[in-house]
Amino acid sequence: DVKVTQSSRYLVKRTGEKVFLECVQDMDHENMFWYRQDPGLGLRLIYFSYDVKMKEKGDIPEGYSVSREKKERFSLILESASTNQTSMYLCASSSPSDRWDTEAFFGQGTRLTVV
Amino acid sequence: AQRVTQPEKLLSVFKGAPVELKCNYSYSGSPELFWYVQYSRQRLQLLLRHISRESIKGFTADLNKGETSFHLKKPFAQEEDSAMYYCALTGYALNFGKGTSLLVTP
């Protein structure tokens, strides 16, 4: 059974804190993605990676950064959390590298609240 | 630029009625299109993709390049079809529309 696991289901952080959202996949996938999901706005791509140490900006990268030191792990970093980053964050993975026409597998999501 | 448009935020139908969820796209190249579904308290998952030309859970979708559309259809809706549906386009990475919430009432 394929698995994409996000480290936290719910997270509450204070404004200005540095926040790490972790995602691990066990499918040996090259591609990994971070989205945020907001009602009425759908899924918006923050960052993606098609290989270790490679990263590409998505549609809304401002206020975020990512880290891909190992193939199975893709971290989303909020350098200084703000209330407008309160959202559901979804991680996904797919394969092969740099091809996007294959099925993406999603994690269960992390609901982040910034107070 | 690539864009996916789902014009309906909410679609409510009665059980047994036909359902059509609309999706239009803009992309300069040759697109690959998908429908993903998220049932209540479950992960987002692939429903179907246009290259497979398959029917999943009674749903079908046909790519119409002339109208740049990829509408999702089912002739007889069931209550268990109630979910959030997202149309997605791959050109560069994987981009989603805003989603349509389908509610099937008895």
Side-chain angles (χ1 to χ4, degrees):
Chain A
D1 192 21
V2 296
K3 272 288 180 59
V4 179
T5 304
Q6 295 181 230
S7 55
S8 303
R9 191 74 177 92
Y10 299 95
L11 215 50
V12 180
K13 296 291 181 182
R14 294 193 181 279
T15 302
E17 275 193 78
K18 190 168 186 176
V19 181
F20 292 85
L21 302 184
E22 306 287 346
C23 176
V24 177
Q25 51 93 5
D26 64 1
M27 296 166 283
D28 203 34
H29 282 172
E30 290 84 5
N31 305 320
M32 295 188 76
F33 309 82
W34 275 107
Y35 296 88
R36 61 177 286 176
Q37 183 181 33
D38 299 289
L41 297 177
L43 272 73
R44 291 180 291 168
L45 183 62
I46 306 171
Y47 267 96
F48 64 100
S49 168
Y50 53 88
D51 202 353
V52 176
K53 296 193 185 295
M54 304 303 291
K55 58 185 179 183
E56 295 284 345
K57 292 180 180 179
D59 297 319
I60 53 163
E62 296 79 17
Y64 304 94
S65 62
V66 290
S67 173
R68 183 104 182 261
E69 295 296 319
K70 293 185 177 181
K71 190 176 185 180
E72 67 270 19
R73 187 179 296 271
F74 193 36
S75 303
L76 180 69
I77 304 155
L78 286 67
E79 297 291 342
S80 177
S82 64
T83 55
N84 63 13
Q85 293 178 308
T86 291
S87 185
M88 173 68 87
Y89 290 86
L90 298 182
C91 175
S93 71
S94 71
S95 187
S97 176
D98 209 21
R99 267 190 65 186
W100 320 111
D101 58 347
T102 58
E103 180 177 0
F105 294 88
F106 283 82
Q108 77 278 25
T110 296
R111 183 166 293 282
L112 172 68
T113 303
V114 182
V115 299
Chain B
Q2 56 190 62
R3 182 187 295 272
V4 178
T5 302
Q6 294 180 250
E8 304 133 333
K9 282 188 178 180
L10 174 65
L11 189 61
S12 183
V13 301
F14 288 108
K15 177 182 174 181
V19 62
E20 182 180 51
L21 289 82
K22 291 184 167 48
C23 173
N24 289 90
Y25 67 90
S26 63
Y27 181 61
S28 56
S30 184
E32 301 289 343
L33 285 141
F34 301 77
W35 278 98
Y36 280 78
V37 61
Q38 188 170 31
Y39 302 103
S40 179
R41 297 189 187 87
Q42 293 188 27
R43 301 174 185 228
L44 193 62
Q45 59 186 288
L46 178 67
L47 179 62
L48 53 79
R49 69 190 90 181
H50 93 269
I51 56 173
S52 300
R53 294 185 165 272
E54 56 196 346
S55 173
I56 303 293
K57 298 184 179 182
F59 284 97
T60 58
D62 291 319
L63 178 61
N64 185 323
K65 291 187 177 181
E67 295 182 357
T68 60
S69 68
F70 188 56
H71 302 328
L72 184 67
K73 300 176 184 178
K74 185 170 183 176
F76 307 102
Q78 303 299 315
E79 289 180 69
E80 56 265 31
D81 295 329
S82 296
M84 195 72 183
Y85 291 80
Y86 292 96
C87 184
L89 165 70
T90 66
Y92 188 60
L94 179 62
N95 294 93
F96 288 82
K98 293 184 178 181
T100 298
S101 178
L102 174 64
L103 180 63
V104 182
T105 54

